[in-house]
Amino acid sequence: MGQPTFNSIQPRTRFQLHTSTPGRMYYEVKQIGDASYPLSENKDTTIPRSERLLFEQQISIRPSAHFKNRNRLQYCLNDALVPLDSSQQDGTIVFEGSPPFTLTLSIKNIAASHINKQTITVPTNMWRLNLPSYSFTSIGPHLVTLETVTDSSGCEQAALDPLHRSIWIDIAETAAIIPFEKREDICVGDVTQFQLEGIPPWSITYYSSFLSLHLMTDVLR
């Protein structure tokens, strides 16, 4: 990467190491001079390679984490926060650093203004949201945010990307149909009303019987 020259008036000195690129760096003392034998007069004289001072430095990347994409997730009321479709990558978190990682994330229920924090140990550089102990107890939007991440290097975490440190999860009410009144017998001309729960449009399959049994499906919006 270069052959810098360092000067010192003391028998000990420090010099700046290269830490901008992660990996293994090697440092080799190629020449040395003093007041009696200045380098400016001995530019072509180098220390034999077998006698040179050599040391190395391991530079670890600062741990960080971000969501692979920002697609909104869809769950139903009382669902657990586990992957619903193995073929999708939504909700996947990508880590940089040296595994295993320790991740702290928060799940904010916007409607209830309640925040739940979870700490997970991740053994690999990629992990999909999978928290079977957490269930959605109310409908509406929830915000999942990556709070902190550490790895085995002991380095302080890098600044998390504000655009990719959180995703939204929409919780829908479970589809249901509930009669307004409990009547076993209905007379000719009577109108029976039902309450629909969930997100329109609804597909409703029902049976009607008059001399014969028929299966019917209506779509209500």
Side-chain angles (χ1 to χ4, degrees), residues 198-213:
I199 299 177
W202 290 271
S203 295
I204 302 174
T205 300
Y206 61 94
Y207 294 92
S208 64
S209 177
F210 181 73
L211 299 180
S212 61
L213 188 65

Side-chain angles (χ1 to χ4, degrees), residues 6 92 124:
F6 300 91
T92 297
T124 61

Side-chain angles (χ1 to χ4, degrees), residues 10-52:
Q10 301 294 332
R12 295 182 180 182
T13 188
R14 293 183 178 184
F15 59 92
Q16 183 65 44
L17 302 178
H18 295 278
T19 60
S20 58
T21 304
R24 190 175 296 275
M25 298 289 295
Y26 294 89
Y27 298 85
E28 189 177 56
V29 178
K30 186 177 180 180
Q31 294 175 299
I32 187 170
D34 61 8
S36 301
Y37 298 93
L39 289 180
S40 58
E41 298 178 7
N42 299 274
K43 293 182 179 181
D44 298 329
T45 303
T46 61
I47 302 173
R49 183 170 294 273
S50 60
E51 300 177 9
R52 294 178 188 176

Side-chain angles (χ1 to χ4, degrees), residues 51-138:
E51 300 177 9
R52 294 178 188 176
L53 176 63
L54 174 67
F55 64 96
E56 60 184 277
Q57 175 193 25
Q58 177 65 41
I59 305 165
S60 300
I61 190 172
R62 293 182 181 273
S64 66
H66 64 273
F67 283 100
K68 192 172 184 178
N69 61 53
R70 301 180 64 193
N71 297 341
R72 296 178 78 105
L73 303 180
Q74 303 284 340
Y75 285 84
C76 292
L77 185 65
N78 297 319
D79 278 352
L81 182 49
V82 296
L84 300 180
D85 187 350
S86 59
S87 64
Q88 299 294 326
Q89 294 298 312
D90 297 345
T92 297
I93 302 171
V94 179
F95 296 87
E96 294 182 351
S98 303
F101 300 90
T102 300
L103 172 70
T104 299
L105 55 83
S106 64
I107 306 170
K108 184 176 183 180
N109 182 340
I110 303 301
S113 298
H114 177 265
I115 298 177
N116 180 282
K117 288 194 174 183
Q118 301 273 341
T119 300
I120 310 99
T121 299
V122 181
T124 61
N125 289 81
M126 192 172 294
W127 179 73
R128 193 175 177 190
L129 285 175
N130 189 0
L131 301 170
S133 63
Y134 182 85
S135 298
F136 298 103
T137 57
S138 64

Side-chain angles (χ1 to χ4, degrees), residues 149-169:
V149 59
T150 60
D151 68 355
S152 61
S153 69
C155 296
E156 183 179 350
Q157 76 175 33
L160 300 181
D161 185 351
L163 294 179
H164 292 87
R165 66 177 298 193
S166 61
I167 61 170
W168 288 95
I169 299 179

